[in-house]
Amino acid sequence: MRPLACRVSMMSGEGALSVYARAQELERQGRSILHLELGEPDFHPAAPTREALKRALDEGKDRYCPVAGIPALRQAIAQYLGETRNLSIHPDHVVIAPGCKIALFLALMALVDPGDQVLYPDPGFPGYASITAGFGGLPVPFELSERHQLQPDPDELASKITPRTKILITNSPGNPTGTVYREDVQAQLAALAVKHDLIVLSDEIYARIIYGGNYVSMLRYPGMKERTVIIDGFSKSFAMTGWRLGYAVAPPPITSALQMLVVNSYTCVAEFSQYGAIEALRDTTGATPRMVEEFGRRREQFVRDLNQVPGFRCQAPEGAFYAWVNISQTGMSAEEICRIMLEEAGVPAIPGEGFGRAGREFVRFSFACSRETLRQAIARIQQVASAWQTRVHV
Ligand SMILES: Cc1ncc(COP(=O)(O)O)c(C=O)c1O
């Protein structure tokens, strides 16, 4: 066979998905598994959302539809971002995609030329570096370290900007750390973007899942309107992972490029699901705030309990639903800790290096599952912690 295009070999998989595959294999063998590996809410969309989708199907809304998405959904997103993020968005600047990841993928496809440098958070969502490299770009990590409370350090970031730097990816609240970028930090990042004429890809997929305070989008800062692409969607805030619905909000030249890429790839997103999405945004039953309140209770319980496990140290995340645990005091590698937790305790979690080099002494747990599951998971981890307990150094 002739060789594959080399862009494929430049990309990498996702730790979460491979751990999930192994966990499923163990489940098929009859093992009891408490899934803490995937970033998937254990909620389902509210009844009015499901009803709206069914109604749309019954009304025959199952045709090809406009490339950028149905006007009513683009309008609803503009209104929603106005109400929840105080943003003034024109519906023409919204492009609907089958998931945030595709919105991100197309945005990078539209912007990255071979050799362009893309700054991205480390640890961070694995797609940032992988997709950039796939398009021939050079992913350049900036660190989220405990020294800076897992916040970006604007000075470090500034030191990495070169004439080839074109894009800055931000992700607040972030996967895997749960960091909500401080406003002074965001202001400095925005000032750097303006000074060096960078485009900012602001991944705001967890914007609704924060535990206090108001969310401030990167788009709010001076000079950012013409250089910010917001990536957001329905997977997390509305518990709609399997619907595959996301969107990009971008300045006009980028919106046109995205539409060109949509024409050349998926044509449009399923029409009926877009009608369901409009209803999700309306959230007449308050499903999202209720879900976030519950995540808040889980966060409190789980972070407290994780800090009782020998050698584990976890700072409470300010947003999203991940616990990012420093395991350096266990005297074992994150891979070994995760192997023991999965194989011996049936508790899958992700070794931090899957999110970048800066994550190598960490493990990510998702707490998007019931408090009872989290309680059982901790009990199981405590049982296998004897494997590293004697090595713990404080
Ligand atoms: C930071 C971040 N961006 C994007 C995505 C992809 O979202 P979607 O499932 O909507 O494609 C995820 C999913 O985990 C994520 O954590």
Side-chain angles (χ1 to χ4, degrees), residues 11 37 48 62 64 87 97 103 132 140 168 189 214 259 276 288 298:
M11 294 184 158
E37 72 279 45
D62 54 4
Y64 288 129
L87 298 175
T132 298
V140 179
L168 164 61
L189 300 189
N214 288 324
Q259 293 196 44
T288 294
R298 295 170 184 183

Side-chain angles (χ1 to χ4, degrees), residues 90 109 123 154:
H90 195 286
M109 188 183 237

Side-chain angles (χ1 to χ4, degrees), residues 68 73-82 85 87-97 100 103-104 107 111 199-204 217-219 224-233 246-256 258:
L73 177 56
R74 297 168 81 198
Q75 170 72 48
I77 288 170
Q79 190 179 333
Y80 164 81
L81 292 176
R85 262 165 255 183
L87 298 175
S88 163
I89 305 285
H90 195 286
D92 287 355
H93 301 169
V94 179
V95 178
I96 312 297
C100 287
L104 177 74
L111 294 167
I199 295 164
V200 173
L201 292 195
S202 180
D203 183 342
E204 304 187 1
S217 165
M218 283 300 287
L219 194 57
M224 293 306 284
K225 197 151 178 141
E226 57 273 28
R227 64 181 67 257
T228 304
V229 180
I230 292 181
I231 306 290
D232 199 347
Y247 52 88
V249 178
I254 299 179
T255 321
S256 309
L258 292 175

